Amino acid sequence: MPKVFYTQPDGVEKVIDGAVGDSVMSTAVRNGVTGIVGQCGGTLSCATCHVYLAPSDMTHFSEPGEDEDDMLECTASDREDTSRLSCQLTLSEGIDLHVTIPAEQV
Ligand code: FES
């Protein structure tokens, strides 16, 4: 069962056991992780699921697609090199993920 390590802007960490095939966003929302809103439900139209993915975890995913890349220009907190929309990060067997939640989502 993959784990997701969510770190708040103040450094507080919450670890959630996720399910293969779920997204980092839906796992957060279902488990009450503060700071990931997921307003559009994962349809790439809100950018309220913005996270900073740990550099070591970047290799587990391909580059953002065009739609995600466009939405990453609309984030409330500054976009960084490791910025991703967590609704596009799908959990896989045996791969734990580490994300930091930005200070603002809206
Ligand atoms: Fe809206 Fe990810 S939940 S873009």
Side-chain angles (χ1 to χ4, degrees):
M1 183 176 284
K3 293 183 187 308
V4 187
F5 295 74
Y6 297 92
T7 302
Q8 295 293 332
D10 64 2
V12 173
E13 185 179 76
K14 188 170 186 177
V15 185
I16 305 289
D17 288 324
V20 172
D22 280 355
S23 70
V24 171
M25 179 278 284
S26 62
T27 302
V29 170
R30 194 171 50 249
N31 289 282
V33 175
T34 305
I36 295 183
V37 181
Q39 201 166 39
C40 77
T43 60
L44 277 178
S45 55
C46 75
T48 62
C49 62
H50 179 205
V51 295
Y52 302 115
L53 183 62
S56 57
D57 290 341
M58 297 288 282
T59 56
H60 299 309
F61 300 96
S62 52
E63 294 289 309
E66 190 176 331
D67 290 343
E68 182 182 355
D69 193 51
D70 286 347
M71 287 307 298
L72 281 166
E73 296 300 326
C74 306
T75 54
S77 293
D78 288 346
R79 179 179 185 174
E80 297 180 2
D81 289 345
T82 60
S83 286
R84 295 299 303 257
L85 296 182
S86 59
C87 65
Q88 302 303 303
L89 303 176
T90 304
L91 305 188
S92 300
E93 187 61 55
I95 298 179
D96 295 341
L97 296 174
H98 305 76
V99 299
T100 299
I101 297 168
E104 294 178 41
Q105 291 285 21
V106 288

